[in-house]
Amino acid sequence: MRPTVHDIAAAAGVSLATVDRVLNQRAGVREVTRKRVEEAIREIGYIRDVAAANLAKGRVYPLVFILPTSDNSFMHGLHNEVRQAMIRSGTERTDIHIREVPAFDPQALVAELERLAEEKPAGVALVAADAPEVLAVVDRLVASGVPVVTLVSDLTGSSRCHYAGVDNIAAGRTAARLLGRFLGGKAGDITVLAGSMMVRDHRERLEGFTQVMSEEFPSLNLLSVLEGRDDPDMAYALISDALGSNDRIIGIYSLGAGNRGLIRALKARHQERTLTVIAHELTESTRGALTDGTIDAVLNQDAGHEVRSAIRVLKAKADGLGFIAAQERIRLDIFLKDNLP
């Protein structure tokens, strides 16, 4: 049976109140008594339930989410999920704040992380820009005792404690297989619309997509990646130009979040040709495009699950505890017009 505080009190010959003062490092205990209690703890092998102790003390966890300012629906949804978590703060014993930085701007992200190194919150969650300077400051933050979770886009090689997001290489491979099967052996060009190759999730999706395309669909020619910085207007211009200048394009993979602009460009040329389109993230725009046939399939990650996972992991790390990896695994969902939730 696991030793309890009652066992400590009996072994040390003191009251439960004295054991509580020693465990919580409060004043009012003579040094000789404190040493006797600590010796009893060692002898009986007592392991403190830190989470329960913090609950009893009413500990509040100050957490910071660093999110990009971006005019795309998925990031709007991610912001909203964090705001919902802020509403739940009273019951979850959190004090959550959002810090915004420009999208795809490593220097702005570094500056914000350096400010947090001075503030020392209980934990930080961020959408990472994969740059050496970001990795370095994350490592310094973790070394100082502040756990870090990456959201959506990982920072592999850093000392971050957890990544809350889908397997992006698998997502890219899945998109390629869907696109290739939907095209049914046709030959032609494939356009890829990304946000920026600066972020790891976009690079990994492209890596997985390229692998399957080259291995299994040699009749499909992959064009140079279009980087729309997840901006709807830029995505609209890039896709419109690509379709207007190349009549061999038969498929599009949108691996980022500029889908409002993509959909607008596709609808403008709807009567000219039939295109097969795979996109990421189920939003109001992509849901409508699935329903009317503008997009064929959407790969989705649950932003709410990612935010909740980040909070659970950061609280566990702040308490010096582990977490259940299976519970924190983010699932990749595939939606067609026939199985929309």
Side-chain angles (χ1 to χ4, degrees):
M1 182 181 294
R2 183 174 177 175
T4 69
V5 291
H6 295 273
D7 298 318
I8 300 172
V14 299
S15 68
L16 288 173
T18 298
V19 173
D20 180 73
R21 289 191 186 97
V22 174
L23 287 173
N24 291 293
Q25 299 181 341
R26 290 199 292 267
V29 181
R30 291 187 303 164
E31 186 61 26
V32 63
T33 303
R34 184 179 299 278
K35 288 181 178 179
R36 195 161 72 245
V37 171
E38 291 173 346
E39 180 63 25
I41 290 171
R42 286 191 293 272
E43 285 181 354
I44 68 175
Y46 174 78
I47 299 174
R48 191 180 185 198
D49 187 339
V50 181
N54 282 333
L55 177 60
K57 291 188 293 183
R59 178 181 179 182
V60 173
Y61 300 80
L63 306 176
V64 176
F65 281 75
I66 307 178
L67 304 178
T69 55
S70 180
D71 185 22
N72 73 71
S73 299
F74 177 74
M75 283 303 166
H76 291 169
L78 189 63
H79 276 73
N80 184 60
E81 292 295 343
V82 178
R83 287 192 290 270
Q84 291 300 312
M86 293 166 73
I87 293 171
R88 301 191 299 269
S89 288
T91 57
E92 296 182 352
R93 297 175 294 120
T94 55
D95 179 21
I96 297 173
H97 296 270
I98 297 174
R99 304 285 179 87
E100 294 187 327
V101 297
F104 312 121
D105 188 339
Q107 294 305 321
L109 183 54
V110 166
E112 191 58 57
L113 287 167
E114 287 177 339
R115 281 190 286 271
L116 290 174
E118 299 294 325
E119 298 174 21
K120 291 287 176 53
V124 175
L126 72 149
V127 179
D130 191 17
E133 58 268 35
V134 175
L135 189 149
V137 73
V138 164
D139 284 351
R140 290 198 298 273
L141 194 59
V142 173
S144 74
V146 179
V148 174
V149 167
T150 52
L151 289 167
V152 183
S153 185
D154 200 7
L155 195 59
T156 304
S158 73
S159 52
R160 57 91 176 128
C161 61
H162 181 62
Y163 163 57
V166 297
D167 180 335
N168 284 297
I169 291 179
R173 292 181 64 87
T174 301
R177 195 169 305 281
L178 287 171
L179 188 59
R181 292 293 182 89
F182 286 170
L183 286 170
K186 293 180 182 177
D189 291 344
I190 303 298
T191 289
V192 175
L193 174 66
S196 170
M197 291 296 99
M198 185 181 297
V199 289
R200 181 172 290 273
D201 59 326
H202 290 196
R203 292 204 309 275
E204 288 181 341
R205 290 174 189 178
L206 179 63
E207 179 184 343
F209 187 80
T210 303
Q211 287 171 357
V212 172
M213 277 289 162
S214 62
E215 292 167 3
E216 301 192 26
F217 304 104
S219 64
L220 298 175
N221 175 50
L222 201 57
L223 300 174
S224 297
V225 177
L226 305 175
E227 294 187 56
R229 301 187 68 81
D230 287 347
D231 177 83
D233 292 334
M234 188 177 294
Y236 171 79
L238 288 170
I239 293 298
S240 295
D241 289 346
L243 295 178
S245 61
N246 185 348
D247 60 8
R248 281 183 46 81
I249 295 174
I250 59 174
I252 297 174
Y253 174 37
S254 175
L255 59 77
N259 290 319
R260 294 206 316 273
L262 165 69
I263 294 166
R264 188 152 47 97
L266 293 173
K267 288 182 180 296
R269 293 182 172 272
H270 180 67
Q271 303 300 325
E272 297 180 15
R273 73 179 94 167
T274 300
L275 295 165
T276 299
V277 182
I278 310 295
H280 276 262
E281 317 313 348
L282 187 63
T283 65
E284 183 178 349
S285 298
T286 55
R287 178 185 290 272
L290 272 176
T291 301
D292 66 22
T294 305
I295 288 177
D296 296 276
V298 169
L299 307 182
N300 187 66
Q301 57 189 317
D302 187 338
H305 187 184
E306 290 171 348
V307 170
R308 294 189 296 273
S309 176
I311 292 169
R312 283 193 297 266
V313 171
L314 290 174
K315 288 172 66 176
K317 287 296 181 180
D319 285 337
L321 303 175
F323 56 90
I324 303 171
Q327 182 183 16
E328 310 309 338
R329 187 174 299 116
I330 307 300
R331 184 179 64 191
L332 178 70
D333 292 314
I334 303 173
F335 292 114
L336 310 177
K337 67 182 298 182
D338 310 286
N339 69 332
L340 282 170

